[in-house]
Amino acid sequence: MTAATTALACMLLSGAAACLTAGSPAAAAPVTQVEPAGSGYWTGHFTVGAGRHLSFYANRPMRRDRSIDTVIVVIHGAGRDAANAANDAATAAFAAGHAHGTAVIAPAFRASSAGGMCHDVLEDGEVDWGCWGWRYGDPAGNAATDSFAAMDEMLQWLGTRATYPNLRKIIVLGNSAGGQFVARYALVNTVQDKLTVAVDYVAANASSYAYLDKQRPRTPNDVLDPATAGTFRLKDVADAQGCTGFDEWRYGLSGRIGYSGKVTEARIRSNAASRKLTILAGELDDHPNTLMDETCRAYYQGANRLERARNYVAYLEAAFHGTPVMATVPGCGHNATCMYVTEAARKEVFGAR
């Protein structure tokens, strides 16, 4: 791409003002490609600090637009289907009457060779995020970056308001593995403090959460006793009872490295108490199913996703004076489409305009 072509692309995507720096010619915006995909959404590349790109899907072209006041950054599930995630979030915005003022961006954390179901075909220059670790902020496999740092860059770019001058809120939304990403990212990111727009976090049907100390609502012995199901009581776990790693990151705060290791425990606890986190749980997501974390470390948090969600919210309220919002979504199981479009979820995600 020539310098002239790059400058023109930047002006079309973000507006001329966003492309100019003092004493220098026009420079490319982080969004380097947006083109119709022929399926009701647009595709694009977001350049991350490693010099590679994170692919994304969107419900509209990423050009200067004063009508947009809300951006939903929606995180896909374990299947890494960002196109469907974008469609689900855009449908929810439409059902809530917010379609006109809402842009949806769905980054694709693709993985090419981690085994199992992760055999995505990567484009030239695309980051390979690995099959599982992207949801916890782990490093990429082929670039000096990680998934949480890439999200930081995207939020910072949105926060400049160069593309959306009237942006007032960013909603980071995810279901299942995407919910795991959102719940942990809300705890450890420091980029929110640098933004002049509000950031809300909505985590739906997560399989596990990061606890902030060694208190847990369950022990392995509780799991074997159905009579204790649904009972919330915090216990300080002094003896892991053979469940090594129950307090290590991603289930707790011990052993944090990389992105999460750069943030102090005190700061993480402060974030937990102050940030706007909404936990959504499907009323029917109350039994083990596909890809639910069935390790003893996860069972310390509850017997199923619904119980784990309720326990985590009660834990944050009781132990750290947090104010998370808990919404049980009637009639929904482990299904992102159902979770996002139902009235109970729309109320928590969008609120009243």
Side-chain angles (χ1 to χ4, degrees), residues 75-311:
I75 312 300
H76 55 68
R80 303 170 313 288
D81 190 346
N84 271 342
N87 285 335
D88 287 341
T91 300
F94 177 82
H98 288 245
H100 177 70
T102 300
V104 174
I105 305 172
F109 293 100
R110 293 180 178 139
S112 66
S113 60
M117 66 180 186
C118 295
H119 295 289
D120 300 329
V121 177
L122 302 183
E123 302 168 342
D124 289 342
E126 186 172 12
V127 178
D128 186 344
W129 296 100
C131 195
W132 306 103
W134 58 268
R135 70 193 77 180
Y136 315 122
D138 287 1
N142 65 346
T145 188
D146 56 62
S147 57
F148 286 175
M151 181 58 58
D152 281 356
E153 293 188 67
M154 184 170 282
L155 296 192
Q156 284 182 299
W157 172 66
L158 290 168
T160 66
R161 293 190 173 92
T163 301
Y164 303 127
N166 295 322
L167 182 65
R168 62 179 181 82
K169 180 188 290 187
I170 299 170
I171 300 170
V172 187
L173 168 69
N175 180 72
S176 193
Q180 294 196 56
F181 179 106
V182 173
R184 291 174 174 86
Y185 183 69
L187 290 178
V188 300
N189 86 74
T190 56
V191 74
Q192 178 177 331
D193 302 330
K194 304 172 185 177
L195 304 177
T196 58
V197 298
V199 182
D200 294 352
Y201 305 91
V202 183
N205 291 332
S207 195
S208 67
Y209 302 88
Y211 276 64
L212 311 184
D213 59 17
K214 291 189 176 182
Q215 295 184 95
R216 295 294 184 277
R218 280 181 171 269
T219 69
N221 287 336
D222 293 330
V223 173
L224 301 177
D225 181 4
T228 65
T231 302
F232 177 76
R233 60 190 184 284
L234 286 174
K235 307 171 184 178
D236 192 354
V237 181
D239 180 359
Q241 301 182 49
C243 186
T244 58
F246 85 97
D247 193 45
E248 293 180 1
W249 180 260
R250 61 202 192 255
Y251 303 98
L253 298 187
S254 300
R256 302 185 325 282
I257 59 174
Y259 187 106
S260 61
K262 297 175 183 178
V263 188
T264 66
E265 290 191 9
R267 178 59 183 275
I268 292 172
R269 291 172 181 137
S270 174
N271 290 344
S274 62
R275 290 186 170 170
K276 188 175 180 181
L277 172 64
T278 298
I279 303 291
L280 301 179
E283 177 187 39
L284 304 180
D285 203 358
D286 60 351
H287 59 281
N289 52 34
T290 303
L291 297 180
M292 192 186 92
D293 190 335
E294 297 190 74
T295 64
C296 63
R297 300 179 288 277
Y299 273 121
Y300 265 99
Q301 303 181 14
N304 52 64
R305 290 187 179 91
L306 175 60
E307 185 178 298
R308 291 172 191 177
R310 289 172 171 167
N311 284 345

Side-chain angles (χ1 to χ4, degrees), residues 37 63 89 261 335:
R63 62 172 62 103
N335 183 291

